[in-house]
Amino acid sequence: MVTNAASFGRSGVHDFIMIRASAIILALYTLFLVGFIACNGPLTYDVWSEFFGSLAMKVFTMIALIALLIHAWIGIWQVLTDYIKCTTLRGVLQFVFVITAFAYLAVGLFTVWGV
């Protein structure tokens, strides 16, 4: 078992639970969006803006964004530790991914709460 600080969770079981929980949140978010699109008539800017303007949708979107980042981080960490044996290269790739993930989180935060 890998026990260094690069793992998102405390153990493989914790990572397994986190990735499954984040997948459930992402599936629910996707089904909710598909249901909204299917049940509404023509989607205009006003309808879409009102939909994402509600507090519940903003919170649900942020939870889904955080779940996506957790899901992606665990997946990337697992792939990099399995296939990139050079520690320096793996560290650089993980650093680049973390910076990119935080940039996505910041853009998502400003986009959702800026509406």
Side-chain angles (χ1 to χ4, degrees):
M1 173 173 67
V2 177
T3 58
N4 61 11
S7 174
F8 184 79
R10 292 176 287 270
S11 67
V13 173
H14 187 262
D15 284 350
F16 178 83
I17 292 170
M18 292 289 288
I19 208 161
R20 295 313 183 265
S22 63
I24 290 170
I25 292 169
L26 293 171
L28 291 174
Y29 187 76
T30 301
L31 290 173
F32 185 69
L33 281 179
V34 168
F36 175 77
I37 292 169
C39 292
N40 284 315
L43 287 177
T44 62
Y45 175 79
D46 293 331
V47 172
W48 201 245
S49 180
E50 182 180 335
F51 177 63
F52 276 99
S54 69
L55 180 63
M57 191 60 200
K58 287 180 180 184
V59 170
F60 194 24
T61 300
M62 287 310 300
I63 290 171
L65 181 60
I66 291 168
L68 178 66
L69 294 178
I70 290 170
H71 195 88
W73 168 247
I74 294 172
I76 289 293
W77 180 82
Q78 289 175 346
V79 168
L80 290 177
T81 54
D82 285 346
Y83 295 108
I84 306 295
K85 299 303 177 190
C86 177
T87 308
T88 305
L89 178 60
R90 186 171 61 237
V92 168
L93 291 173
Q94 286 176 344
F95 178 75
V96 168
F97 179 78
V98 167
I99 296 300
T100 304
F102 278 120
Y104 286 159
L105 180 63
V107 169
L109 180 72
F110 290 127
T111 302
V112 170
W113 293 100
V115 172

